[in-house]
Amino acid sequence: TLAEAGTFVPNDIRLDALGERMMVVTGPNMAGKSTTMRQVALAVILGQMGGFVPAARARIGVCDRIYSRVGASDDVSRGESTFMVEMKETAALLSGATRRSLVLLDEIGRGTSTYDGLSIAWAVAEHLVDAIGCRALFATHYHELCALEAARPGAVANWNVAAKEKDGAVVFLHRLLRGGSSRSHGVAVARLAGLPPSVVARAEVLLL
């Protein structure tokens, strides 16, 4: 399906193996974090194969592999939970990635307790930057991870997918902006999804 004319929002992506090699991307669900990561992966694949890259300008270095951990699924036949599948896939990419790899991680650590998940996500990000040194896009709702930019200056950069909330409704701008986001607009997205007004209202009270 083709997007309607004027609806596509272009964004600039810069990952430098010798500089800012990790983008920590925050922002609400449905704002475009996962779509942006898929676009980057496809652009790299097209460039590696000598195909046309749909961009005004593209400079893509050699990439030996693309690793992605996007989406959530379990494996009932093997008795593995969603979180176990996520951890096994993360373990595989951490053991296989090199400095020449591109790694795409979407909401690592969400399938367990908040503190455990945040700790794992932080440790994985540090390992990618310090031990492997690869280029990576790290989408997360753990806003605490934005502190990595100060902890790893020149190697990690915070970005957010812009959204505006007005009268309880969220408007997705699909524009990548420099800096971290302090909100995920989860309640507004829940309202958009059709949760009963009483549930949304109670969630807003609890959020305060």
Side-chain angles (χ1 to χ4, degrees), residues 44-65:
V44 171
I45 291 171
L46 288 169
Q48 296 290 299
M49 64 185 287
F52 171 74
V53 178
R57 179 177 179 271
R59 182 182 179 186
I60 302 172
V62 175
C63 183
D64 59 5
R65 294 177 183 177

Side-chain angles (χ1 to χ4, degrees), residues 36-183:
T36 298
M37 294 200 300
R38 290 185 176 99
Q39 287 174 345
V40 172
L42 289 171
V44 171
I45 291 171
L46 288 169
Q48 296 290 299
M49 64 185 287
F52 171 74
V53 178
R57 179 177 179 271
R59 182 182 179 186
I60 302 172
V62 175
C63 183
D64 59 5
R65 294 177 183 177
I66 296 176
Y67 290 94
S68 66
R69 169 84 278 280
V70 179
S73 62
D74 55 16
D75 191 338
V76 177
S77 64
R78 296 185 179 180
E80 296 178 349
S81 67
T82 300
F83 181 66
M84 175 59 80
V85 171
E86 177 184 287
M87 289 298 98
K88 291 182 77 170
E89 291 181 357
T90 303
L93 74 85
L94 290 179
S95 63
T98 72
R99 187 170 171 274
R100 287 285 189 181
S101 301
L102 172 65
V103 175
L104 311 172
L105 294 173
D106 194 4
E107 298 183 38
I108 287 295
R110 61 186 166 181
T112 187
S113 71
T114 300
Y115 294 114
D116 285 357
L118 172 59
S119 300
I120 291 168
W122 190 297
V124 168
E126 284 186 342
H127 187 80
L128 290 171
V129 172
D130 299 339
I132 299 176
C134 61
R135 291 160 290 182
L137 283 167
F138 201 113
T140 184
H141 286 288
Y142 293 133
H143 300 125
E144 295 86 348
L145 288 178
C146 290
L148 280 168
E149 182 181 72
R152 299 293 187 280
V156 178
N158 290 328
W159 291 80
N160 73 90
V161 185
K164 290 185 177 180
E165 194 169 340
K166 183 178 181 181
D167 299 327
V170 64
V171 178
F172 305 115
L173 304 179
H174 308 296
R175 173 69 67 186
L176 272 176
L177 300 176
R178 187 64 187 259
S181 173
S182 60
R183 299 187 59 193

